[in-house]
Amino acid sequence: MDILKIIDNLRNQLWAQYGNPLAKYKQTQHDIHMSYYVGRLMEELGHKWISPSKISGEKEDRAYYSEKALHDAFLAGQLLAKADNAEMRQAIFSEIKADIINQIETLRP
C-alpha cells in the first residue's frame, strides 16, 4: 500500500473520531498569548515558516510550518496541559488536606 494512502486513511480516521474541537470554541486572551509563546517556541527549536502573502503580494496573512513544527507545537501543548493539570490536582489536594486538618482540629476537645 502506498504510504501517502496510509497517511490519508489515518487522517480520515482521526477526523472521524475527533472532528473539529475548535468549531464552537470561543478564543480567550490567554489563547492569543499562548500563540505568541508557541511562535517563540518554534523559533527556539529552529523551525522556519513561509509567508506566501509576502512572496505573492496577497493581503491574506498566512504562514506555513513543516509537519515537524506542527508536531512539536502539538506536543508542547500536551505537555503544558499535563503540567497545568498536575499543578491543579496538587492545589486541589492541598486545599482538601487543609480542610480535613481544619475539621480534625475543630473536633479536638
Side-chain angles (χ1 to χ4, degrees):
M1 184 175 237
D2 182 7
I3 189 71
L4 296 177
K5 180 94 171 144
I6 293 170
I7 291 171
D8 194 45
N9 286 341
L10 176 61
R11 290 175 63 213
N12 290 336
Q13 287 172 2
L14 291 171
W15 185 261
Q17 183 177 354
Y18 297 111
N20 181 356
L22 301 175
K24 295 180 182 177
Y25 180 77
K26 182 160 173 42
Q27 192 175 42
T28 67
Q29 191 65 36
H30 179 69
D31 297 333
I32 294 167
H33 293 167
M34 291 306 288
S35 295
Y36 293 120
Y37 165 77
V38 170
R40 169 74 186 269
L41 177 63
M42 294 298 97
E43 288 175 13
E44 293 291 326
L45 293 174
H47 294 297
K48 306 291 184 207
W49 55 277
I50 300 168
S51 177
S53 58
K54 290 182 180 176
I55 297 168
S56 66
E58 294 177 25
K59 296 198 189 272
E60 186 177 358
D61 187 23
R62 292 183 286 176
Y64 295 102
Y65 282 97
S66 69
E67 185 175 342
K68 173 76 170 110
L70 295 175
H71 175 74
D72 285 349
F74 174 75
L75 184 57
Q78 280 189 315
L79 293 171
L80 288 172
K82 195 179 289 186
D84 283 349
N85 287 341
E87 190 175 300
M88 190 182 338
R89 279 193 307 274
Q90 185 59 41
I92 291 169
F93 177 74
S94 295
E95 189 176 312
I96 291 171
K97 183 178 173 183
D99 286 345
I100 291 171
I101 290 171
N102 187 35
Q103 291 294 326
I104 291 171
E105 291 294 326
T106 59
L107 293 176
R108 288 189 180 167

